[in-house]
Amino acid sequence: MATLYGAIEAGGTKFVCAVGRGPDALLETATFPTTEPEKTFGQCLAFFRDVASEHGKLASLGIASFGPIDCRVGSEAYGYITTTPKEGWAQTDFVGTFAKALDLPVGFDTDVNAAALAEWRWGCARDLDTCLYVTVGTGIGGGFVHRGTTLKGLLHPEMGHVRIHRLPEDGYSGNCPYHGHQCLEGLAAGPALAKRWGTQADALPPDHIAWTWQADYLAQAAVNWIVTLSPEVIVLGGGVMQQQHLFPQIRDRVRALLNGYLQVPAILDASPDFIRQPGLGTQSGILGALALAMDAA
Amino acid sequence: MATLYGAIEAGGTKFVCAVGRGPDALLETATFPTTEPEKTFGQCLAFFRDVASEHGKLASLGIASFGPIDCRVGSEAYGYITTTPKEGWAQTDFVGTFAKALDLPVGFDTDVNAAALAEWRWGCARDLDTCLYVTVGTGIGGGFVHRGTTLKGLLHPEMGHVRIHRLPEDGYSGNCPYHGHQCLEGLAAGPALAKRWGTQADALPPDHIAWTWQADYLAQAAVNWIVTLSPEVIVLGGGVMQQQHLFPQIRDRVRALLNGYLQVPAILDASPDFIRQPGLGTQSGILGALALAMDAA
């Protein structure tokens, strides 16, 4: 029988837990609301203990977490959610709590680094050297895999805060508490769309000017990521990217903004394989956590 | 006797050749103007043959080249300088020419990726997971090392073309043939400074407003690189960065633009070790080529 792994995809709204033997063999999953650490952690721990009593001991646990987190092995605050504005969650020892309670090795990374890892290992970036994964939802975040390893350094990528230029016709003051309308998250995350237009993003029809602007903002950010990371694929996931009509608009706009500078077919042909939806659908995050568990075992 | 390696730092103005046994043991160096491939290559080949006849056979050669280049192993055009506007140099088989003429294994990467590698291996980024190296001179380019490997993907990074926002008081139309004033190179490379102010950059006094703007543009770009790559160190080299008064201005501006978002001392304290001059002085490029040779041997 193949080894059994635990996985947590920890988001600001909900925690998804799973136990499985591989990406196509998830045995059990459960979802709990993100309330306060003690309560949500307790529900997750109870789930893993229940599953272990039924299926056998887990080899390891992978945690793909909202951030900012400290995921630099050897750092004093390794394993913590650090300065999040989410009430009750700042300076929370995530890895320590689970490692001690379940007596397991634990892998730990950002939700988006984990999603990039899952897309690289099992999804649309297999056999590539690089994979960029960006989620556009309540917030915007990006993760990156280079030769099988997620990118971590000073901290971890915080790609939602890449600087872009607000369109002259857009008078919205922006929704980022740190950067106003000067970063991508401030202009293009779900809440920015909702506040600018006075309605939830998914209530805006596909031909609404909102989407033209949204494609421009995501394309500006994509150009910055392309010239900096040179990714072979840019995977865009998250709630806002359920608007499939955005994808061709973003690809066209990226081609226009680069203006012939990068002579590669992926860009010149606005290839549908280059800027694309997740290969793993909505599973990138939880399977990323599973990948972290497998690497930690 | 330690192994002997050859190294070429190939720039748009000059080629620097060296032979050595390690970073502190360069035996011979020579510099040739970048004229046309046949002539410049011929001078380099003569140099390496001369040195080999005196010191013994080289184990390998490392080439750190201006670009764009194809440095993706396995690609059809691997080893070529590709679409450069530099007359006579487009579609030039760099690696093939030297591998055949000298009968050696050849390592090949961008000049800036190689410089990042040298700073990581022997310079100011030793023991770190990440190193960003950016040169600001006739052009602007950036290279990145992640866990000892240079970043290559769709192509290679082209960080000079990161999008930044021209200051409202700056009326200069920009010098990038592709992106005008919408990218860093268009606003902040040496020729942009010279054309905007009607004089060579090094003739502008340190208190000239030119440097305030320059620091702002480099800081905008640095913020985009920080949130995307999360580098532990940003090394700024090249002719324009000889203006040492720029460094504290850039650090202060990066802190101001991030506005408290990243709670790390390197940024909050505007640490002089975070955004800094090359640890290897003007040797990062040629030692990077040496590092490529050592990895290819």
Side-chain angles (χ1 to χ4, degrees):
Chain A
M1 184 81 73
T3 313
L4 208 60
Y5 305 98
I8 302 176
E9 181 189 9
T13 309
K14 64 178 197 281
F15 275 46
V16 179
C17 297
V19 167
R21 305 188 188 280
D24 302 317
L26 294 187
L27 304 179
E28 306 271 356
T29 62
T31 299
F32 308 107
T34 309
T35 54
E36 53 199 76
E38 201 172 337
K39 183 168 176 195
T40 306
F41 283 2
Q43 292 171 310
C44 295
L45 287 170
F47 165 79
F48 288 115
R49 286 177 176 134
D50 281 357
V51 175
S53 72
E54 185 176 345
H55 295 282
K57 184 166 166 53
L58 307 180
S60 59
L61 176 68
I63 299 174
S65 180
F66 70 101
I69 64 173
D70 191 332
C71 53
R72 298 165 303 170
V73 178
S75 161
E76 207 171 308
Y78 174 77
Y80 278 65
I81 294 177
T82 57
T83 56
T84 178
K86 190 164 177 67
E87 207 189 317
W89 287 84
Q91 311 308 335
T92 297
D93 183 6
F94 203 154
V95 170
T97 303
F98 281 80
K100 193 181 296 181
L102 297 175
D103 190 24
L104 290 177
V106 175
F108 187 54
D109 213 322
T110 65
D111 43 7
V112 278
N113 259 346
L117 185 62
E119 290 290 342
W120 176 81
R121 194 166 289 175
W122 301 308
C124 64
R126 274 174 290 184
D127 305 320
L128 302 181
D129 283 335
T130 49
C131 174
L132 172 60
Y133 182 98
V134 175
T135 181
V136 186
T138 309
I140 298 179
F144 187 68
V145 166
H146 175 227
R147 296 190 165 205
T149 312
T150 58
L151 180 56
K152 290 173 280 193
L154 183 66
L155 198 67
H156 46 70
E158 285 282 1
M159 298 193 205
H161 298 271
V162 69
R163 294 174 61 83
I164 59 167
H165 185 37
R166 187 176 59 171
L167 292 167
E169 57 269 37
D170 180 4
Y172 179 55
S173 60
N175 195 46
C176 174
Y178 297 92
H179 313 123
H181 59 76
Q182 297 192 307
C183 75
L184 179 64
E185 187 165 298
L187 286 172
L193 284 166
K195 287 183 189 170
R196 183 193 284 110
W197 301 106
T199 179
Q200 286 304 304
D202 53 13
L204 297 163
D207 60 353
H208 195 286
I209 188 72
W211 299 118
T212 309
W213 295 5
Q214 181 76 3
D216 189 275
Y217 294 146
L218 289 168
Q220 286 189 49
V223 165
N224 282 338
W225 297 325
I226 289 166
V227 298
T228 304
L229 295 166
S230 202
E232 288 154 284
V233 62
I234 300 177
V235 183
L236 299 178
V240 172
M241 299 313 302
Q242 297 301 310
Q243 308 284 333
Q244 300 195 17
H245 55 89
L246 272 174
F247 283 88
Q249 293 187 72
I250 295 167
R251 292 179 199 125
D252 285 347
R253 195 73 192 121
V254 163
R255 173 169 52 185
L257 290 173
L258 280 168
N259 194 26
Y261 181 66
L262 295 175
Q263 293 285 324
V264 287
I267 291 164
L268 298 178
D269 303 342
S271 160
D273 295 326
F274 178 52
I275 296 178
R276 54 161 295 161
Q277 294 180 294
L280 301 170
T282 57
Q283 297 275 89
S284 314
I286 190 66
L287 293 182
L290 189 78
L292 296 176
M294 294 169 94
D295 289 350
Chain B
M1 184 81 75
T3 314
L4 208 60
Y5 306 98
I8 301 176
E9 180 189 10
T13 309
K14 65 178 196 282
F15 274 47
V16 179
C17 296
V19 169
R21 304 189 189 278
D24 302 316
L26 294 187
L27 304 179
E28 306 271 358
T29 62
T31 300
F32 307 107
T34 310
T35 54
E36 51 200 76
E38 202 171 335
K39 183 169 177 196
T40 306
F41 283 2
Q43 292 171 309
C44 296
L45 287 170
F47 165 79
F48 288 116
R49 286 177 177 136
D50 281 356
V51 176
S53 72
E54 186 176 345
H55 295 281
K57 186 166 165 54
L58 306 180
S60 58
L61 177 69
I63 299 174
S65 179
F66 70 100
I69 64 172
D70 191 332
C71 52
R72 299 164 304 169
V73 178
S75 160
E76 207 172 306
Y78 174 77
Y80 278 65
I81 294 175
T82 56
T83 57
T84 179
K86 191 164 176 66
E87 207 188 318
W89 287 84
Q91 311 308 335
T92 296
D93 183 6
F94 204 153
V95 170
T97 302
F98 280 81
K100 194 180 295 179
L102 298 175
D103 190 23
L104 292 176
V106 175
F108 187 54
D109 213 323
T110 65
D111 44 7
V112 278
N113 260 345
L117 185 62
E119 289 290 341
W120 176 80
R121 193 165 291 175
W122 300 308
C124 63
R126 273 173 291 183
D127 306 320
L128 301 181
D129 283 336
T130 49
C131 175
L132 172 60
Y133 182 98
V134 175
T135 182
V136 186
T138 309
I140 298 179
F144 187 67
V145 167
H146 175 228
R147 297 191 164 203
T149 312
T150 59
L151 181 55
K152 291 172 277 193
L154 182 66
L155 197 65
H156 46 71
E158 286 283 0
M159 297 193 205
H161 297 272
V162 68
R163 294 174 61 82
I164 60 168
H165 184 38
R166 187 176 59 171
L167 291 167
E169 57 270 36
D170 180 4
Y172 179 54
S173 61
N175 195 46
C176 175
Y178 297 93
H179 312 122
H181 60 77
Q182 298 192 305
C183 75
L184 180 64
E185 186 165 299
L187 286 172
L193 283 166
K195 287 183 187 169
R196 182 193 284 112
W197 302 105
T199 180
Q200 286 304 303
D202 52 14
L204 296 163
D207 61 353
H208 196 287
I209 188 73
W211 299 119
T212 309
W213 297 5
Q214 182 75 2
D216 189 275
Y217 294 147
L218 289 169
Q220 287 189 49
V223 165
N224 282 338
W225 296 325
I226 289 167
V227 299
T228 303
L229 294 167
S230 201
E232 288 153 285
V233 62
I234 301 176
V235 183
L236 299 179
V240 173
M241 299 314 301
Q242 297 300 311
Q243 308 284 331
Q244 301 196 16
H245 55 87
L246 272 175
F247 284 88
Q249 293 187 73
I250 296 167
R251 293 179 198 124
D252 285 347
R253 197 72 193 120
V254 163
R255 174 169 52 186
L257 290 172
L258 280 169
N259 194 26
Y261 181 66
L262 295 174
Q263 294 285 323
V264 287
I267 291 164
L268 298 179
D269 304 342
S271 160
D273 296 326
F274 178 52
I275 297 178
R276 55 163 293 160
Q277 292 181 294
L280 301 170
T282 56
Q283 297 275 89
S284 315
I286 189 66
L287 293 182
L290 188 78
L292 296 176
M294 294 168 95
D295 290 351

